[in-house]
Amino acid sequence: MQKLLLINCTSPLIYAFKDLGYIVESISVHMRTYDIAAKITEMQFEPELILQQEYLGRRVLLQGLERINCLKIFWSVDTHMNMYWHGYYAELFDCVLTTQKKYTLQLKRICNTKIEWLPWMGTLHAGKSGLASHAKREHNVTFVGRVTSHRPSRKWFVDFLTSHYGLHLLDGLNFDEMMAAYRNTRIVPNEALFGEVNFRLFEAASSGCAVVTPNVGDELGELFEIGAEIEVYNDVLELKEILDRLTKKKSATASIGMAAYARILRDHLPISRATKIIQIAHDTAPRSIQADHAEFSLCMCELALGEAGESVDWGELQRRLISLERSEARDAALFRVFYRLGQPELFMELIKPYLKLNTSIEDCYFNMTASLCAVKFGQWDVAKYFWYMYAAANSMGADKPAEETQLLVYWGDALNKSGITLRVGVAFNELADIPTCASDCYFAALYRDPENKKIFSRLANLFRGVMGGEISRLGFLSHLSLHNPNDWRLSAEVGITNLKVFRFSEGLRELANAVNIAKKNGQERLLRSKLNQELPAYNLLSN
């Protein structure tokens, strides 16, 4: 394997492949759909490997991959934000790489492609003079990132760092300016959107900073030695303990920062990633992808992107889906397209054969889509039919929905039980959109019945342990706590969740309230046991 075609790959990775001696052609694609087979013919270049790297901010779908006789790999960079369409796109490739190890199993469950973990990479950006010693660095604590009302947890994160450590906050920098800022900084506290291992970790470590990053999972310990090369925290109390310690001792920040930098040089430069990609390619068997399957996968990508708010030609998507062989998956997609185009007649025509089946269909997503599209088209009896059909197929005792809100809750429960829980990266319109997962159903139900405490409770449970979902969970818990002021468990959950989103004073105040309630009820021991397990830094603080 010598000839590589790289699509939307970063310059350092391109240079790394060239340094390894490979014959490299690279192209940058900006448009949504791109006929890569036609481009290869035009280039008169026969690659042995095509590597497409996800380009953040663009949605690029390659067409014609099934017509190309070589190995094809896709590097999913923002898996944590784009799983909703990457799972379909993965079907076009022989192997998909993801920067997030925790998503490898999720991807394997929804596609037939080989999935491998390939973390993001560091960079050599020290300049001719190398890295400055920590004693000479001007800033103690720096954060580079945008603070907006759309990210309240980041605002609370920044407010906490500013009030306690005089944070040096920067925004709007280009890459060179950002790296220069890091090289003049001792400590970089990190914050993650949805529990991902992000670029900031590698960028700050590449500058010899002491990075204090969220504990997003075991993969962190495979990338850096925790306690020696990076520090990790689970909540604002642990973040404070670490920063109090590091800000008092520059030698400690230098030890961690330089160790992280050495680890970047040893394991995390682009040359390491290029070498690993070639190794994975040699160990990957090519797949045979049929034209219809490739077309269906691309159609599903378009549907997912369209429902996420991207520009889609719905009429053209409808034409493409209708041209494919009938299946439950294709028909579920068409139901949703008919709804987008406002075509109840076509919906009823396509649904009729299912109303005459002698057997029930087990798939939860198909039945939910048919049922809730029927609601939108004013076909209540059809909506109930698919609920009862699903319940019968899965040997459930079917509750009888009396109205739309109840039906939405039932479908939310069914989807949750099926493992179709959340769709990260997509803003859901509770009034206009068709749900795709349990949280969508619950949100739609709550929109119609905003005081329903059972729905709040379902959502609070659904978002338990979901990194990046703490803000939503805090809202659900706060509402429940207002209606149950003497429940120390709820008060404790509100306090713990506040501390996970950097609301330092609010979290401690709520926990003090939980302690008082628990004492009155003779259950302080139970509360202390809960806090020992979930918030160990609190007992250290209170002692």
Side-chain angles (χ1 to χ4, degrees):
M1 184 179 296
Q2 286 297 316
K3 299 167 75 173
L4 315 181
L5 176 59
L6 308 182
I7 302 167
N8 288 344
C9 289
T10 56
S11 295
L13 189 61
I14 295 171
Y15 293 138
F17 280 117
K18 290 181 177 179
D19 289 343
L20 288 171
Y22 291 95
I23 301 168
V24 174
E25 291 284 348
S26 64
I27 57 176
S28 179
V29 179
H30 298 260
M31 57 193 70
R32 166 73 67 77
T33 57
Y34 188 81
D35 190 333
I36 190 62
K39 180 62 177 178
I40 287 174
T41 300
E42 175 192 316
M43 294 172 64
Q44 296 185 338
F45 180 72
E46 295 183 5
E48 296 164 273
L49 169 65
I50 294 174
L51 171 66
Q52 180 188 1
Q53 178 185 313
E54 179 189 5
Y55 193 104
L56 305 187
R58 299 181 200 158
R59 306 286 190 257
V60 176
L61 304 177
L62 298 180
Q63 295 176 315
L65 285 168
E66 74 282 1
R67 306 196 306 269
I68 302 171
N69 186 27
C70 74
L71 206 64
K72 297 167 278 283
I73 295 178
F74 176 63
W75 192 6
S76 170
V77 177
D78 255 7
T79 318
H80 57 290
M81 289 294 291
N82 292 317
M83 270 280 291
Y84 68 94
W85 68 274
H86 282 186
Y88 299 119
Y89 196 52
E91 286 291 330
L92 302 173
F93 293 85
D94 303 303
C95 180
V96 168
L97 315 173
T98 173
T99 57
Q100 311 299 318
K101 187 176 184 181
K102 68 181 72 175
Y103 285 94
T104 55
L105 289 178
Q106 293 185 43
L107 281 167
K108 286 176 182 177
R109 282 196 293 266
I110 61 177
C111 68
N112 297 309
T113 307
K114 178 181 178 180
I115 309 295
E116 295 281 352
W117 177 41
L118 188 76
W120 191 242
M121 51 197 165
T123 179
L124 276 178
H125 216 81
K128 294 181 180 179
S129 57
L131 294 177
S133 71
H134 275 229
K136 294 180 180 179
R137 298 190 180 199
E138 182 180 353
H139 301 293
N140 218 19
V141 181
T142 293
F143 182 78
V144 182
R146 184 167 299 173
V147 181
T148 71
S149 59
H150 300 295
R151 293 279 302 278
S153 60
R154 175 169 289 185
K155 182 180 185 306
W156 297 329
F157 172 75
V158 164
D159 288 347
F160 168 76
L161 294 173
T162 301
S163 62
H164 285 78
Y165 305 102
L167 176 69
H168 181 51
L169 177 65
L170 297 167
D171 182 21
L173 306 184
N174 62 35
F175 184 76
D176 288 345
E177 291 168 339
M178 176 186 68
M179 296 304 290
Y182 285 149
R183 292 196 301 275
N184 200 24
T185 295
R186 284 181 282 278
I187 306 168
V188 173
N190 193 12
E191 180 249 7
L193 182 59
F194 283 109
E196 75 280 5
V197 177
N198 58 19
F199 289 6
R200 191 178 294 110
L201 170 62
F202 290 98
E203 291 160 351
S206 295
S207 302
C209 302
V211 185
V212 186
T213 196
N215 185 6
V216 300
D218 293 341
E219 63 197 89
L220 272 177
E222 298 182 52
L223 296 169
F224 296 94
E225 184 180 347
I226 295 171
E229 298 171 344
I230 59 171
E231 294 278 7
V232 302
Y233 67 90
N234 291 288
D235 52 70
V236 71
L237 297 183
E238 292 186 359
L239 175 62
K240 184 176 186 300
E241 185 277 322
I242 294 168
L243 292 179
D244 284 349
R245 172 165 43 86
L246 292 182
T247 52
K248 292 173 184 175
K249 195 173 182 182
K250 292 180 182 178
S251 61
T253 68
S255 174
I256 293 171
M258 291 304 126
Y261 178 64
R263 184 65 177 267
I264 290 284
L265 296 181
R266 186 172 76 247
D267 294 336
H268 301 314
L269 288 179
I271 196 77
S272 299
R273 298 297 180 261
T275 301
K276 182 62 176 178
I277 290 169
I278 294 299
Q279 177 188 325
I280 290 171
H282 280 300
D283 293 339
T284 298
R287 300 170 62 223
S288 176
I289 307 169
Q290 300 300 314
D292 277 2
H293 182 61
E295 173 65 357
F296 177 71
S297 298
L298 287 170
C299 285
M300 293 303 293
C301 289
E302 291 281 8
L303 175 63
L305 291 169
E307 291 190 323
E310 299 277 343
S311 177
V312 168
D313 185 335
W314 292 103
E316 174 62 13
L317 179 57
Q318 176 186 347
R319 183 198 65 75
R320 290 169 62 188
L321 284 167
I322 288 174
S323 72
L324 295 172
E325 183 179 353
R326 185 163 194 171
S327 67
E328 291 164 18
R330 187 212 70 157
D331 288 354
L334 276 171
F335 295 157
R336 305 177 83 90
V337 174
F338 292 154
Y339 167 66
R340 289 278 171 175
L341 292 171
Q343 297 172 327
E345 298 84 4
L346 291 178
F347 171 76
M348 289 305 300
E349 182 181 331
L350 190 61
I351 212 87
K352 280 179 184 177
Y354 294 104
L355 301 177
K356 299 175 182 177
L357 287 177
N358 293 322
T359 58
S360 299
I361 297 171
E362 296 183 10
D363 184 72
C364 187
Y365 178 82
F366 170 84
N367 285 292
M368 177 274 300
T369 296
S371 176
L372 297 183
C373 284
V375 170
K376 293 293 188 182
F377 285 130
Q379 299 290 336
W380 180 242
D381 287 341
V382 174
K384 289 190 295 182
Y385 171 84
F386 280 96
W387 166 247
Y388 293 134
M389 183 167 74
Y390 174 74
N394 290 274
S395 301
M396 297 165 51
D399 296 314
K400 296 180 179 181
E403 37 74 38
E404 182 181 357
T405 301
Q406 205 169 49
L407 181 62
L408 284 163
V409 172
Y410 292 166
W411 279 122
D413 291 347
L415 289 163
N416 191 12
K417 188 176 180 180
S418 299
I420 308 173
T421 55
L422 301 167
R423 182 175 55 162
V424 176
V426 179
F428 176 69
N429 185 314
E430 296 92 341
L431 186 61
D433 292 345
I434 301 293
T436 62
C437 58
S439 64
D440 289 353
C441 288
Y442 293 146
F443 280 126
L446 192 63
Y447 181 88
R448 290 157 176 80
D449 187 3
E451 296 302 319
N452 191 317
K453 293 192 287 292
K454 290 183 179 179
I455 302 175
F456 274 102
S457 182
R458 280 173 165 85
L459 282 165
N461 289 330
L462 188 69
F463 279 83
R464 176 186 289 275
V466 177
M467 298 191 75
E470 296 92 351
I471 292 291
S472 296
R473 187 164 192 264
L474 181 60
F476 311 139
L477 290 169
S478 297
H479 181 88
L480 291 169
S481 184
L482 284 174
H483 289 83
N484 300 275
N486 295 317
D487 188 334
W488 65 263
R489 290 178 178 83
L490 273 175
S491 189
E493 288 290 343
V494 172
I496 292 169
T497 308
N498 266 304
L499 293 173
K500 288 186 179 297
V501 295
F502 312 104
R503 301 185 81 199
F504 182 71
S505 300
E506 294 87 345
L508 293 180
R509 188 163 55 245
E510 194 65 45
L511 287 177
N513 182 53
V515 170
N516 289 333
I517 298 170
K519 282 181 178 178
K520 290 178 184 177
N521 291 281
Q523 295 183 318
E524 186 180 6
R525 182 179 59 82
L526 292 175
L527 173 59
R528 293 293 181 184
S529 176
K530 177 181 177 65
L531 294 178
N532 276 332
Q533 290 180 345
E534 299 183 35
L535 200 70
Y538 178 75
N539 285 334
L540 293 175
L541 183 71
S542 57
N543 291 333

